[in-house]
Amino acid sequence: MNYKKKSRCGGLVPAPAFYRERRGICDISHGCSIVAPFDWLDEARLLSEWLERALIKGFPVEIDDEVSSSLSSREPRLFISKRGKVGGEEWHKIDIEPAGIRLLAEGAAGVVRGASSIAQLALSGKGRIPAATIEDYPRFAWRGLMLDTARSYFGIAFIEKMLDLAALHKLNTLHWHLTDDQAWRLELSFAPEAAEIGSRRLDGRYNLPLWRAGSYGVADIARIVEYARIRHITIVPEIETPGHAVALLASHPEFSCAGAADADKVFKPEDRFGVFDDILCAGNDDVFSFIGRVLDEVCALFPGPYVHMGGDEAPKGKWRTCPRCVSRMETLNFRDEKGELDPERLQAWFMGRMADMLAARGRRMIGWDEIMNETLGRDSVVMAWRNEGRIAAAANASFDVVACPQTKACYLDHKQTEEPEEPGQLGVCTLEDCYAFDPVPQGIDPGQEERIIGAQGNLWSELLCFGRQAEYMLFPRLCALAEVFWTPKARRNYPDFLARMSVHRRRLDAWGVNSRR
Ligand code: ACM
Ligand code: ZN
């Protein structure tokens, strides 16, 4: 591959839908003022912050609701202005001329998406931006990154850095995995013991005791939610049920099936990884009251429309023998074709209750693809993770789907090459694999493609201890996925992407990202 080849589209990643080079250079290397309408003050300030970070010069914001569109002053200026309905909330158009830059958007989100292009061009050109016209809009509405903060805790500053990087790549969703077998990271006002006990585990891989600990309080979450809001990123919190819940059982053993039979049953946050037999008891009404109160707090903290309730990898062994679960299955007559009690129907009922509890709080449930069944309301969203077939199955069953199959490029905990020295687990997923992924697989019934609302990359953190390691796993693969999620399919071209990446890598370096070479 010839990396020296002249890069296209100013090296923008993801590639824009439309880019036409024009004559000249707009030089904002000494700073310039940004003129924006009052409604878009936050977005203009974000662009100013990004440019000041990139160029270490001043980019003061001025308010002007009647921005004139002529670029005529002596100093170049950057005008942000509104455009009537054209191509949706994230649509934008950028005119770069020697006399200045005009960013037109329909909605505030479009300003941020356009700002990410301007910041990228300023960063790689050190403030000297080639004149061009860019028009851009997303292919998918949901363009996500999942961060597993349960297996490893990541600090607020690191999550903010990831939100900036997500926004700079035009992603718009952060799926925040807050609870699992290894930790319960969410501080609850009504149940402080859940995080006090559940967010600390002794890492048993070492002779010397090594505590892996950390939790998120109201102030931390408010800060992240606000940081994301300004970047037009929706946060989707995840509370895992009924499986992957051992860290909650550490403070509430009575919520397990075993705890019902044995009052002295003890759990601690797992320091092993995998799938564990002890899950939340579906026969205990206290479990549902507790989750209801958790959701009251989650919905007060997170304003977004979705809450993720997990639903994956819930072994049914304990439910088959637990007297309360058995009684629940008998009462509700959950039986299979042979007349035997059917714990799969109990799980369907459990997840249906989660969906109802969220609906009562004005939110939509999203869950891993195991939640899918005939009885689940179609307002729930399926996150297809096991394989591509699940994407098609969910879409054909009229569920909205977010595609993130582990078999195809969306599991960023996988190794990036086969080499034994390469970090990662459970598989290999190269940069090219990420680029070749398409969220719309074969086998979708006609008219059901629209059900695929988007896709995301998932970063599980079993093997990660530090943010720098997380960055290595994410980059540059997340750049490839961002292009898959944003850019019109017809414009995707791997050699062209690699040529642009040779420019884009300098931006990642300048942003202090530990990306894989
Ligand atoms: C998953 O990877 N268990 C969703
Ligand atoms: Zn039970």
Side-chain angles (χ1 to χ4, degrees):
M1 189 57 53
N2 179 7
Y3 281 82
K4 294 266 171 351
K5 185 166 72 186
K6 184 169 153 44
S7 67
R8 277 143 270 191
C9 302
L12 285 171
V13 176
F18 176 87
Y19 180 99
R20 176 168 302 146
E21 205 169 293
R22 293 160 65 178
R23 234 174 241 284
I25 294 275
C26 176
D27 187 351
I28 57 166
S29 61
H30 302 289
C32 76
S33 50
I34 299 174
V35 186
F38 179 77
D39 292 352
W40 292 349
L41 185 56
D42 281 339
E43 290 76 14
R45 284 191 176 140
L46 175 64
L47 176 56
S48 162
E49 190 185 313
W50 280 344
L51 291 173
E52 288 183 359
R53 236 195 103 161
L55 302 174
I56 326 187
K57 288 287 185 310
F59 288 86
V61 174
E62 295 168 20
I63 298 297
D64 186 346
D65 283 314
E66 310 290 328
V67 173
S68 79
S69 55
S70 71
L71 300 170
S72 59
S73 61
R74 268 164 290 130
E75 301 289 310
R77 295 212 288 171
L78 207 159
F79 293 99
I80 301 176
S81 46
K82 294 190 185 180
R83 186 68 181 265
K85 294 235 172 300
V86 198
E89 226 355 67
E90 296 187 291
W91 175 93
H92 59 274
K93 182 162 185 263
I94 309 170
D95 286 310
I96 303 161
E97 299 174 15
I101 298 174
R102 226 179 350 236
L103 166 56
L104 294 171
E106 193 180 308
V111 177
V112 172
R113 304 302 166 242
S116 72
S117 294
I118 296 170
Q120 282 197 16
L121 295 169
L123 199 54
S124 51
K126 298 197 164 61
R128 289 171 50 79
I129 304 179
T133 298
I134 300 168
E135 190 173 340
D136 215 356
Y137 46 83
R139 178 173 173 207
F140 291 104
W142 178 305
R143 306 177 304 279
L145 164 64
M146 188 218 71
L147 197 58
D148 170 11
T149 63
R151 277 53 177 267
S152 268
Y153 172 82
F154 295 102
I156 296 301
F158 178 76
I159 297 175
E160 288 179 349
K161 182 177 182 182
M162 292 305 108
L163 286 168
D164 272 314
L165 286 162
L168 285 164
H169 290 86
K170 299 184 171 62
L171 300 181
N172 69 350
T173 307
L174 178 75
H175 168 181
W176 192 352
H177 191 73
L178 281 163
T179 73
D180 213 300
D181 298 306
Q182 292 76 12
W184 179 281
R185 303 270 180 222
L186 178 66
E187 294 174 19
L188 299 168
S189 68
F190 79 96
E193 68 284 356
E196 273 163 23
I197 296 170
S199 70
R200 290 164 57 74
R201 74 176 199 269
L202 195 58
D203 194 329
R205 288 174 288 184
Y206 309 94
N207 264 347
L208 291 171
L210 178 67
W211 284 96
R212 308 282 308 276
S215 57
Y216 303 106
V218 169
D220 298 323
I221 291 170
R223 192 169 137 182
I224 290 296
V225 165
E226 174 63 6
Y227 204 85
R229 180 191 69 78
I230 290 168
R231 286 151 184 78
H232 289 265
I233 292 177
T234 301
I235 300 203
V236 179
E238 181 180 358
I239 306 297
E240 272 268 19
T241 67
H244 287 295
V246 173
L248 175 60
L249 301 180
S251 60
H252 286 276
E254 73 280 12
F255 293 162
S256 72
C257 294
D262 171 8
D264 296 327
K265 179 76 188 166
V266 174
F267 293 95
K268 58 185 176 51
E270 271 296 345
D271 74 337
R272 301 165 299 165
F273 301 114
V275 174
F276 298 94
D277 289 339
D278 284 291
I279 66 174
L280 298 175
C281 177
N284 180 351
D285 288 329
D286 292 346
V287 168
F288 296 94
S289 332
F290 184 90
I291 294 173
R293 296 183 73 186
V294 171
L295 293 183
D296 287 339
E297 298 208 358
V298 165
C299 293
L301 288 167
F302 295 96
Y306 304 100
V307 177
H308 200 304
M309 297 306 296
D312 59 320
E313 298 180 319
K316 303 298 180 319
K318 303 282 175 183
W319 284 5
R320 285 181 203 281
T321 53
C322 164
R324 295 192 206 189
C325 288
V326 165
S327 155
R328 180 88 77 196
M329 286 186 276
E330 282 171 343
T331 309
L332 298 172
N333 198 27
F334 288 156
R335 294 180 186 278
D336 59 21
E337 319 78 73
K338 290 193 226 122
E340 312 275 341
L341 291 179
D342 185 357
E344 295 305 331
R345 290 184 64 189
L346 186 57
Q347 161 133 356
W349 172 83
F350 188 110
M351 298 316 295
R353 277 194 77 168
M354 298 296 110
D356 291 346
M357 283 160 87
L358 282 170
R361 290 163 178 78
R363 307 301 165 92
R364 282 177 83 181
M365 181 174 79
I366 177 160
W368 301 109
D369 58 51
E370 289 94 326
I371 67 167
M372 206 171 86
N373 65 72
E374 274 155 31
T375 59
L376 184 66
R378 276 13 185 198
D379 51 338
S380 290
V381 181
V382 172
M383 190 166 264
W385 74 276
R386 283 182 287 181
N387 52 55
E388 283 188 295
R390 307 283 166 176
I391 307 172
N396 292 345
S398 296
F399 285 104
D400 283 351
V401 193
V402 173
C404 55
Q406 58 171 354
T407 45
K408 276 273 162 63
C410 291
Y411 269 44
L412 301 177
D413 55 330
H414 290 184
K415 290 157 67 90
Q416 308 193 49
T417 67
E418 301 271 4
E419 273 113 63
E421 295 77 21
E422 187 65 29
Q425 62 174 2
L426 303 172
V428 175
C429 168
T430 65
L431 181 64
E432 191 166 4
D433 291 335
C434 286
Y435 200 80
F437 172 59
D438 200 77
V440 182
Q442 303 286 310
I444 310 273
D445 295 343
Q448 295 298 86
E449 296 90 351
E450 299 288 295
R451 289 289 182 179
I452 299 166
I453 59 174
Q456 67 179 34
N458 293 340
L459 185 63
W460 300 103
S461 64
E462 287 93 338
L463 296 190
L464 311 177
C465 297
F466 308 108
R468 302 298 278 166
Q469 297 168 325
E471 290 172 19
Y472 180 92
M473 302 309 286
L474 288 171
F475 294 97
R477 291 185 293 188
L478 192 62
C479 306
L481 288 181
E483 186 148 316
V484 169
F485 304 163
W486 174 274
T487 304
K489 191 176 177 189
R491 280 191 60 82
R492 261 162 57 195
N493 174 306
Y494 190 57
D496 183 73
F497 169 73
L498 289 181
R500 279 180 286 109
M501 277 307 292
S502 65
V503 177
H504 194 64
R505 277 185 187 285
R506 298 205 302 269
R507 300 181 186 126
L508 297 177
D509 288 346
W511 212 264
V513 178
N514 179 34
S515 70
R516 185 181 189 282
R517 299 285 137 185

